[in-house]
Amino acid sequence: MLRTVLQQTRTLVTMSATTVSAGPRPIVLAGPSGAGKSTLLKKLMAEFPNAFGFSISHTTRKPRPGEEHGREYWFTTREDLIRGVAAGEFIESAEFSGNMYGTSKRAVEDVVRRGKICVLDIDMQGVKSVKNTDLNARFVFVQPPTFELLEKRLRDRNTETEESLRKRLDTAKGEFEYAALPGSYDFTIINDNLDQAYADLRAIVLEDISKMQ
Ligand SMILES: Nc1ncnc2c1ncn2[C@@H]1O[C@H](COP(=O)(O)OP(=O)(O)OP(=O)(O)O)[C@@H](O)[C@H]1O
């Protein structure tokens, strides 16, 4: 009896692993804050509204009216989230205004199982941690043409205080250094002219999209 149950469990595990590995490869978009990741993603979603999926994050914050567990977020406790992070179940986690947030590996796999290309807009730490999983992602670095232009775009975006701007530009240096290492990314898109940068991103994902249709 126990053997049968174990065998069944093993079969189920193998099946789900096959489904995920046969599914569309997740695409990781990384790059310094202000590089243009959101801008490029918005264009991609507008052109291919059904091809992509976003993973549902975990959060320790309380649900707002109308929010549903498993739709906007997986609402959880700090204790459980910390436990999951320690167990290596999360590809990234962070603290924002007193609450913890995280992206679990499982949440990415759920998107793949639904047959969608999971898009991950993450930082360098997230890139490193996705590399340590079997998610078989493709890694794209969005690079601003120059550091000066990155600063200008961040300033013109009008979303940052002087302090948060400094912090983002400091972090950007590390992002550039990591991107310069051989093998850190599969593709680099230089976001100088937006239309050209989008054409480059489109070409990267087009093959995956055509396989889905
Ligand atoms: N090719 C481009 N030419 C000029 N401006 C651009 C270009 N790409 C993006 N921008 C502008 O630069 C600013 C930063 O872009 P965006 O918000 O997409 O960056 P991001 O990488 O998503 O940043 P964050 O990680 O902080 O969310 C935005 O105001 C955007 O409109």
Side-chain angles (χ1 to χ4, degrees), residues 12 15 42-43 60 75 102 107 115 124-125 128 137 154-155 173 179 183 193 211:
L12 276 174
M15 271 177 61
K42 221 166 122 190
K43 285 173 87 67
T60 60
F75 295 98
M124 186 179 89
Q125 294 309 326
K128 289 180 183 170
L154 268 178
R155 280 192 190 282
K173 288 178 190 147
N193 171 285
K211 270 190 218 152

Side-chain angles (χ1 to χ4, degrees), residues 32-39 153 157 168 191-194:
S33 170
K37 304 175 295 290
S38 319
T39 307
R153 285 182 188 168
R157 191 170 73 175
R168 279 162 199 260
N191 183 17
D192 186 354
N193 171 285
L194 184 59

Side-chain angles (χ1 to χ4, degrees), residues 7-185:
Q7 273 171 347
Q8 280 173 351
T9 314
R10 209 165 293 140
T11 313
L12 276 174
V13 169
T14 317
M15 271 177 61
S16 72
T18 308
T19 317
V20 169
S21 64
R25 293 177 72 180
I27 187 139
V28 169
L29 223 55
S33 170
K37 304 175 295 290
S38 319
T39 307
L40 288 166
L41 273 178
K42 221 166 122 190
K43 285 173 87 67
L44 203 59
M45 300 300 143
E47 183 171 356
F48 306 102
N50 300 316
F52 298 93
F54 288 97
S55 54
I56 297 167
S57 300
H58 283 63
T59 182
T60 60
R61 85 151 162 74
K62 297 277 162 281
R64 296 187 184 127
E67 286 185 335
E68 218 172 85
H69 184 61
R71 193 178 64 194
E72 282 77 16
Y73 283 102
W74 296 108
F75 295 98
T76 184
T77 62
R78 180 169 286 265
E79 198 182 26
D80 277 353
L81 193 39
I82 290 174
R83 189 201 45 74
V85 170
E89 293 164 10
F90 282 75
I91 55 179
E92 64 170 4
S93 65
E95 178 101 24
F96 293 111
S97 40
N99 294 302
M100 266 185 88
Y101 295 80
T103 307
S104 73
K105 192 181 145 193
R106 170 84 196 271
V108 177
E109 290 168 345
D110 287 344
V111 176
V112 179
R113 276 195 204 97
R114 292 202 329 262
K116 305 272 184 193
I117 300 172
C118 184
V119 185
L120 290 161
D121 176 347
I122 51 182
D123 67 9
M124 186 179 89
Q125 294 309 326
V127 167
K128 289 180 183 170
S129 100
V130 174
K131 285 192 173 181
N132 283 327
T133 68
D134 49 7
L135 287 169
N136 193 25
R138 303 213 287 167
F139 297 88
V140 179
F141 182 66
V142 181
Q143 183 181 314
T146 61
F147 196 79
E148 290 68 31
L149 206 50
L150 176 69
E151 177 168 352
K152 180 184 181 319
R153 285 182 188 168
L154 268 178
R155 280 192 190 282
D156 291 351
R157 191 170 73 175
N158 260 321
T159 50
E160 309 306 317
T161 62
E162 192 57 32
E163 193 195 343
S164 73
L165 191 113
R166 285 286 136 223
K167 221 184 242 173
R168 279 162 199 260
L169 291 175
D170 265 359
T171 311
K173 288 178 190 147
E175 297 267 354
F176 281 120
E177 278 164 21
Y178 178 67
L181 298 176
S184 50
Y185 289 95

